[in-house]
Amino acid sequence: MFLYEKKLQYPVKIKNPNPAIAKFIISQIGGPDGELGASLRYLQQRYSMPYNEVIGILTDVGVEELGHMEMVSAIIYQLTRNLTPAEIKKAGFDTYFVDHTTGVYPQAASGVPYTAAAMAVKGDVLADLHEDLAAEQKARVTYDNILRLVDDPDVREPIKFLRAREIVHFQRFADAMRIAQDRMDCKNFYAVNPSFDTRK
């Protein structure tokens, strides 16, 4: 059960709409390393995780990623509000607009719709946690790329906040990995892989 606080984790107050920016920021909703996939991945990985402390980390981070999706959606909405047809065409936002008007649709910057294939859940402690560590780094790189392309401080500040949280999530999953390794029966972590007897 989740409790919903009716405010964004970090304020989003964009004065100047800019659909050209929204076209690539939308990747952090439905792109391969976006917040939708991250939240679903962590919340679903909980069910096969045998360690309560790690379940807690997956839950905390998964719920926070839902809040990040809310922030990115607010950014996209504010960047695309009250557009004229001329502004839509000039920004190259027309193809998106035809399909979705200015609704926040989960897709990558390339236009590829969100797919559950981005939601990696293996059911193996180490495989899932390695996936989570990599996912946080990929999300951080995506935010780095957005910051390279955006100069509007109203957009940059919430994006910088989101980037910083990806780093914290990476650290939390590193803690989860240490907890899991300490708790696992097998201590033979060659390249951090447990031994597996194929004769059984």
Side-chain angles (χ1 to χ4, degrees):
M1 176 60 110
F2 305 129
L3 297 176
Y4 177 66
E5 190 173 348
K6 296 183 179 180
K7 68 175 190 176
L8 295 178
Q9 195 176 6
Y10 186 95
V12 175
K13 296 179 181 176
I14 298 169
K15 293 184 281 297
N16 301 310
N18 187 332
I21 294 174
K23 281 173 48 181
F24 54 81
I25 289 180
I26 199 143
S27 221
Q28 280 303 82
I29 294 290
D33 307 309
E35 305 293 357
L36 175 58
S39 62
L40 293 174
R41 175 187 307 115
Y42 306 146
L43 293 174
Q44 292 308 116
Q45 285 177 353
R46 299 177 305 159
Y47 295 102
S48 56
M49 185 57 63
Y51 311 118
N52 286 335
E53 300 94 330
V54 179
I55 292 170
I57 291 170
L58 288 165
T59 303
D60 289 347
V61 178
V63 171
E64 186 175 348
E65 298 289 18
L66 290 172
H68 292 179
M69 190 169 69
E70 190 175 38
M71 280 182 63
V72 176
S73 295
I75 291 169
I76 293 162
Y77 170 75
Q78 291 181 29
L79 286 169
T80 60
R81 70 188 185 281
N82 304 321
L83 297 174
T84 67
E87 291 169 326
I88 291 167
K89 288 181 198 174
K90 182 179 178 185
F93 195 68
D94 48 346
T95 53
Y96 180 94
F97 183 84
V98 166
D99 290 338
H100 310 293
T101 319
T102 55
V104 181
Y105 178 75
Q107 70 177 44
S110 62
V112 175
Y114 174 77
T115 172
M119 190 183 87
V121 179
K122 194 68 171 174
D124 178 89
V125 172
L126 294 179
D128 281 347
L129 290 175
H130 277 285
E131 174 67 33
D132 300 344
L133 287 161
E136 293 301 322
Q137 287 300 315
K138 290 185 281 186
R140 190 254 323 147
V141 170
T142 303
Y143 283 125
D144 288 348
N145 291 339
I146 289 169
L147 289 169
R148 290 180 178 105
L149 298 173
V150 175
D151 57 8
D152 183 341
D154 292 345
V155 178
R156 286 180 63 81
E157 291 310 308
I159 295 295
K160 283 164 42 178
F161 171 83
L162 290 166
R163 179 193 182 278
R165 294 307 300 165
E166 303 300 349
I167 294 168
V168 172
H169 294 171
F170 180 85
Q171 294 165 340
R172 295 288 312 276
F173 286 130
D175 293 339
M177 182 67 81
R178 283 189 286 278
I179 292 166
Q181 288 175 345
D182 288 345
R183 291 290 200 66
M184 292 178 80
D185 293 334
C186 175
K187 302 300 180 188
N188 178 18
F189 297 113
Y190 66 94
V192 200
N193 283 312
S195 62
F196 182 76
D197 188 349
T198 57
R199 296 171 292 178
K200 291 183 182 179

